Amino acid sequence: EAQVTQNPRYLITVTGKKLTVTCSQNMNHEYMSWYRQDPGLGLRQIYYSMNVEVTDKGDVPEGYKVSRKEKRNFPLILESPSPNQTSLYFCASFNSGANVLTFGAGSRLTVL
Amino acid sequence: DAKTTQPTSMDCAEGRAANLPCNHSTISGNEYVYWYRQIHSQGPQYIIHGLKNNETNEMASLIITEDRKSSTLILPHATLRDTAVYYCIVMKGNSGGYQKVTFGTGTKLQVIP
């Protein structure tokens, strides 16, 4: 089944403790992206990647890092999480054949 | 990337057609109009997209004005399960590359029994 898989789905952590949210897609898509969703603010793009080793900033990249060493994986890294990064995070990949963006189920992160 | 404007919320009676409007007056010639919906806090679900022509699939119809500055998503027979936040976005297809995309806050559709 074609899907975008995020892990963990839920995480509670403390300020400053590095964490990684993984994202994997099994559809051989070149394009992948990360979004965060906060009440009243909709979905805002954090980073995107056009292909392996090609990444660029979205609208809210501060405090985040990404890497794209292989096509299927696009992890989101929080080197030193802060409470303002408490949010719901979504990973997505783009099917260039169907011109459709497919989202993962989301990862709810709480930073204390 | 072009921005979109949608009403904050709408109600629709169950069984009736739900018509959700979207303005995208700064859309570029190579940008598509896409509609997604999000139920509770699940991942946004693709509904439909189009470039110039009206489109229909098993979920909905998309009507795009001739000048492409606005569009309407039509759910022909709304059910309670259609209660969700609906997002209208514009973005380039594969030929134009896929870059920054802004989802905005969408329209919260409440289907009423």
Side-chain angles (χ1 to χ4, degrees):
Chain A
E1 180 187 349
Q3 58 185 2
V4 177
T5 303
Q6 299 179 223
N7 281 296
R9 296 288 314 283
Y10 302 91
L11 178 63
I12 300 174
T13 189
V14 295
T15 298
K17 186 176 181 181
K18 180 179 178 179
L19 68 92
T20 299
V21 186
T22 65
C23 175
S24 178
Q25 49 94 4
N26 61 358
M27 299 167 280
N28 201 38
H29 291 166
E30 293 180 346
Y31 178 93
M32 298 183 74
S33 61
W34 276 102
Y35 295 83
R36 63 177 287 173
Q37 186 173 33
D38 303 291
L41 295 176
L43 283 92
R44 295 179 293 168
Q45 194 173 46
I46 304 172
Y47 268 96
Y48 62 94
S49 169
M50 299 292 288
N51 212 327
V52 175
E53 303 292 359
V54 180
T55 63
D56 208 346
K57 297 177 180 178
D59 292 320
V60 288
E62 295 77 21
Y64 304 94
K65 288 175 62 176
V66 292
S67 71
R68 188 86 182 278
K69 293 184 170 59
E70 50 189 340
K71 188 177 279 191
R72 67 179 290 124
N73 295 321
F74 189 44
L76 181 69
I77 304 158
L78 286 73
E79 294 271 2
S80 182
S82 62
N84 64 14
Q85 293 179 297
T86 292
S87 188
L88 179 59
Y89 291 87
F90 291 102
C91 179
S93 70
F94 186 70
N95 181 335
S96 58
N99 273 349
V100 172
L101 190 62
T102 301
F103 284 83
S107 297
R108 187 170 292 281
L109 171 65
T110 301
V111 183
L112 301 176
Chain B
D1 289 320
K3 304 298 184 188
T4 62
T5 304
Q6 300 176 251
T8 302
S9 63
M10 294 180 63
D11 291 338
C12 178
E14 188 178 17
R16 303 296 295 269
N19 296 278
L20 290 86
C22 180
N23 287 320
H24 31 79
S25 58
T26 60
I27 191 169
S28 301
N30 61 352
E31 288 181 315
Y32 290 74
V33 180
Y34 284 78
W35 283 85
Y36 283 78
R37 73 180 182 184
Q38 186 177 27
I39 298 172
H40 297 300
S41 296
Q42 298 174 20
Q45 175 192 21
Y46 167 79
I47 301 173
I48 198 168
H49 75 285
L51 185 63
K52 291 188 236 184
N53 300 322
N54 298 337
E55 302 286 345
T56 295
N57 62 19
E58 64 278 4
M59 291 181 68
S61 295
L62 172 61
I63 308 298
I64 303 173
T65 58
E66 192 168 343
D67 63 8
R68 302 212 320 126
K69 292 184 177 182
S70 65
S71 60
T72 301
L73 177 74
I74 301 172
L75 308 178
H77 305 286
T79 70
L80 299 179
R81 288 178 295 181
D82 292 323
T83 293
V85 177
Y86 288 76
Y87 297 97
C88 166
I89 64 169
V90 293
M91 63 182 182
K92 297 170 188 172
N94 180 58
S95 61
Y98 183 86
Q99 298 177 351
K100 292 185 183 182
V101 176
T102 301
F103 267 72
T105 55
T107 295
K108 183 173 175 58
L109 176 68
Q110 182 72 48
V111 179
I112 303 167

